[in-house]
Amino acid sequence: MQSLSMSNGANWSFRLTRTPRGCISQQTFCLALGNKKEHNEQGGNLEFNPTGELVDRDSQKLKECRLPPLVSALKASAEDNAASFHFPGHNRGHAAPSSLTRLIGARPFLHDLPELPELDNLFAPEGPILEAQKQAAELFGASETWFLVGGSTCGVQAAIMATCSPGDVLFLPRNSHISAISAMVLSGVVPKYIVPEYDPEWDIAGGITPSQVEKAIKELEMEGLKPAAVFVVSPSYHGVCSDIGAISELCHKNDIPVIVDEAHGAHFGFHQHLPTSALAQEADIVVQSTHKVLCSLTQSSMLHLSSNLIDRERICRCLQMLQSSSPSYLLLASLDAATAQLSDSKGTIFNEAIELAVETRRMIKQIHGISLFDTVNFPSSPGFDPLRITVGARELGLSGFEADDILCRDFGVMSELVGTQSITLAFNLGTKREHASRLLSGLEYLSETYSHTNGLSSETETSATTLAPFDDFNVVLSPRDAFFAHKRKVRFEDSLGKICGELICPYPPGIPVVIPGEVVTDRALKYLLHVKSKGATISGAADRLLSSLVVCDV
């Protein structure tokens, strides 16, 4: 049993002020480098760089060593020899579960700290979090940026709640993520869906066009109304972009704010071959999943504001209501670190990843029976993410789910997204050439093994091309009214014509087929059975086997 002892005060650590302590590590770096004046007098720290300019070697070393503000503060706080009488219960790793420390070590627990004074407050930042958010805003081109620990889901919810009040009309594409649907339940907004472009051969939805938005605005004007906001998903999960610039210009003429779900496009604008970011195209609120293609930890995201059409205080209130009151500082610090990583080499950081993706795409084109999804599938799209590669093996008689199973089982290739007709691969900063080679080997195996087949049967082709679920819907109740309505379960086949009481969608990518408040159609039922037979996981349904559905008893 350990005894308690009191040593001299030199080993104690106290926090007597609320001043952020991130500067401690920087002071240490200064001491390690020595006194600048002394080095100047000795002539030991000045040299000419390759361009002939006289530079200070010590200042360059200091710049290289300096940590991002929140990372620095977290490091300093974790290094305190503190007698911790605060949460979390593992107490800086001293009581961390051994089964997890054997997996990841104890250091993550050491830095898993609560809202200590020197670490700042996410909901009233005035120290390192504020500085980190300011640096992110400058990097991404926003007037203000908020760090999110609830993923882009809470960012989308906050954006809609900050712009829409109960009874307001929100324009949104039919293929919006489920977070937009839950936001309508929370806010009481009334949806007006815009059907996105759709490629039936690939069973993939694209973006919405400026002309569609203009038409929807005019239709609502005839009723004496205008939308509280226009919500756009760009890029899509498959990398298809909408023309945010034209949509923003159109909406701003009518004082309508534009919200962009740019969850899959946080990297846009940081390479000449990447599409333009939504912020650069005058979007008002942009939500990005920094953890997807950039390198923060999973569940960490950012919300960017770039508009005077929106009340920032309302955004703050919404985020405080939606996010945890005990945010993870590991997640927050990872956002700070990802910002610094991108800022250090923002013009070149994606060079290798894009080069590898382009080379891989070129080689896939040479594989018999493997199709490539490309910009030609959506000619109205102004941009396409080169780091998103979507392939199909329908000419070999394989669905996306079947091909993905083979690639995963036999080659260890883990895809990002699987559809009825496709597999989507996400290239990023960590993608290795060996990974791409393994993918190519797997696709070549599919080609060689299944090339004797004659493609999909006519029956399967008909199912894939005629069951597009997005444009066959009839909204009877708002999502909020349907959510709170009395409900009952009925047999799957008996749900036809009834008002759906649950959100049902194949996942990923979380694109709803039936939304609460809509009439269940024959087309929707057939599509659900079709994708389920192909291996899709049905999310949102109380009965994932689809033997029954929940309907509103109204």
Side-chain angles (χ1 to χ4, degrees):
M1 180 177 178
Q2 257 188 341
S3 62
L4 293 172
S5 62
M6 295 182 65
S7 59
N8 63 50
N11 292 326
W12 294 1
S13 174
F14 295 97
R15 294 189 306 275
L16 299 179
T17 71
R18 296 184 61 86
T19 303
R21 302 189 58 186
C23 56
I24 292 178
S25 58
Q26 295 174 14
Q27 292 171 350
T28 303
F29 291 136
C30 290
L31 291 173
L33 289 170
N35 182 277
K36 182 175 181 180
K37 182 177 180 181
E38 292 177 358
H39 278 278
N40 278 336
E41 292 173 351
Q42 296 171 6
N45 70 330
L46 297 177
E47 63 180 18
F48 289 97
N49 67 12
T51 64
E53 298 174 316
L54 192 63
V55 296
D56 187 327
R57 291 198 309 270
D58 287 352
S59 63
Q60 287 184 323
K61 292 177 183 177
L62 181 61
K63 183 177 181 180
E64 292 172 359
C65 294
R66 183 176 291 123
L67 295 173
L70 186 53
V71 174
S72 178
L74 187 61
K75 178 180 184 292
S77 186
E79 289 174 349
D80 280 347
N81 182 23
S84 300
F85 293 92
H86 57 68
F87 304 134
H90 61 68
N91 203 324
R92 300 184 182 229
H94 295 302
S98 59
S99 59
L100 191 53
T101 57
R102 284 196 297 268
L103 180 65
I104 66 173
R107 290 190 65 82
F109 292 93
L110 176 65
H111 296 88
D112 180 31
L113 297 173
E115 289 180 296
L116 300 175
E118 65 267 28
L119 295 181
D120 210 356
N121 184 332
L122 178 62
F123 303 111
E126 55 185 20
I129 292 179
L130 178 63
E131 180 61 26
Q133 291 183 157
K134 284 183 176 180
Q135 291 181 7
E138 181 178 359
L139 175 67
F140 288 97
S143 59
E144 188 167 359
T145 293
W146 288 264
F147 284 179
L148 309 176
V149 293
S152 288
T153 291
C154 82
V156 167
Q157 291 171 340
I160 292 176
M161 292 174 66
T163 53
C164 302
S165 298
D168 283 348
V169 176
L170 173 70
F171 288 177
L172 73 166
R174 180 66 185 180
N175 61 329
S176 295
H177 187 266
I178 54 176
S179 58
I181 312 302
S182 62
M184 291 192 289
V185 172
L186 292 169
S187 64
V189 73
V190 177
K192 182 175 177 60
Y193 297 110
I194 298 176
V195 179
E197 295 181 295
Y198 179 75
D199 187 320
E201 181 178 336
W202 283 89
D203 194 18
I204 287 177
I208 60 175
T209 65
S211 60
Q212 288 179 301
V213 174
E214 183 176 28
K215 179 182 176 183
I217 291 175
K218 290 180 178 179
E219 289 176 350
L220 202 59
E221 281 180 348
M222 295 178 66
E223 302 176 29
L225 301 171
K226 80 172 185 176
V230 172
F231 181 82
V232 186
V233 179
S234 181
S236 70
Y237 215 142
H238 300 90
V240 181
C241 298
S242 297
D243 191 343
I244 301 300
I247 292 174
S248 295
E249 182 180 2
L250 172 67
C251 290
H252 291 164
K253 289 179 180 178
N254 295 276
D255 293 327
I256 302 169
V258 175
I259 305 168
V260 178
D261 176 357
E262 200 175 40
H264 292 271
H267 56 301
F268 281 9
F270 292 102
H271 190 278
Q272 59 179 342
H273 292 142
L274 289 172
T276 305
S277 70
L279 284 168
Q281 296 181 74
E282 307 299 328
D284 300 283
I285 301 181
V286 177
V287 181
Q288 297 175 336
S289 291
T290 320
H291 65 90
K292 292 194 186 304
V293 180
L294 300 184
C295 301
S296 65
L297 294 176
T298 295
Q299 194 177 312
S300 60
S301 295
M302 296 186 193
L303 185 153
H304 304 290
L305 175 66
S306 182
S307 172
N308 57 8
L309 293 176
I310 298 160
D311 181 0
R312 68 165 302 277
E313 296 298 328
R314 187 166 169 177
I315 294 177
C316 292
R317 291 193 297 270
C318 291
L319 287 175
Q320 186 162 12
M321 182 176 72
L322 293 165
Q323 297 203 92
S324 170
S325 59
S326 302
S328 166
Y329 276 81
L330 289 173
L331 295 182
L332 294 172
S334 77
L335 288 168
D336 187 25
T339 299
Q341 179 188 36
L342 185 57
S343 181
D344 287 343
S345 52
K346 59 184 178 181
T348 59
I349 191 170
F350 284 103
N351 282 357
E352 291 185 12
I354 291 178
E355 179 182 344
L356 181 58
V358 170
E359 181 181 348
T360 302
R361 181 182 289 273
R362 178 179 57 79
M363 297 185 73
I364 290 174
K365 288 181 179 179
Q366 301 173 16
I367 302 176
H368 173 74
I370 302 297
S371 304
L372 264 172
F373 179 77
D374 211 334
T375 52
V376 296
N377 299 94
F378 292 103
S380 65
S381 172
F384 189 82
D385 186 358
L387 293 178
R388 207 60 56 95
I389 295 180
T390 297
V391 298
R394 59 194 310 274
E395 293 178 24
L396 303 176
L398 296 173
S399 71
F401 298 108
E402 292 166 337
D404 183 70
D405 284 343
I406 297 169
L407 291 176
C408 179
R409 182 186 66 240
D410 298 341
F411 296 88
V413 172
M414 306 292 290
S415 64
E416 171 58 33
L417 174 67
V418 188
T420 56
Q421 307 298 320
S422 63
I423 305 170
T424 298
L425 299 312
F427 281 61
N428 51 51
L429 295 175
T431 305
K432 303 298 183 184
R433 186 165 293 272
E434 185 270 330
H435 299 159
S437 296
R438 203 188 304 179
L439 168 64
L440 291 169
S441 296
L443 294 176
E444 288 173 350
Y445 170 81
L446 294 179
S447 174
E448 295 168 358
T449 306
Y450 296 92
S451 60
H452 63 279
T453 64
N454 295 317
L456 298 178
S457 67
S458 58
E459 180 182 353
T460 306
E461 278 195 33
T462 299
S463 296
T465 57
T466 62
L467 291 179
F470 306 119
D471 60 354
D472 184 19
F473 56 89
N474 178 19
V475 179
V476 177
L477 299 175
S478 72
R480 181 179 179 87
D481 289 341
F483 181 85
F484 290 106
H486 185 269
K487 300 177 183 67
R488 59 190 173 93
K489 278 187 177 182
V490 299
R491 291 190 307 170
F492 184 81
E493 57 270 24
D494 293 338
S495 66
L496 179 63
K498 294 181 171 57
I499 301 173
C500 187
E502 57 185 347
L503 180 72
I504 306 176
C505 59
Y507 196 88
I511 299 174
V513 173
V514 186
I515 296 173
E518 295 179 353
V519 176
V520 179
T521 65
D522 180 64
R523 195 173 179 185
L525 294 178
K526 287 180 178 178
Y527 180 81
L528 288 171
L529 291 176
H530 171 68
V531 295
K532 181 175 177 293
S533 70
K534 293 298 180 181
T537 299
I538 306 301
S539 176
D543 179 2
R544 295 195 177 188
L545 297 177
L546 294 184
S547 59
S548 64
L549 289 184
V550 175
V551 298
C552 296
D553 195 9
V554 294

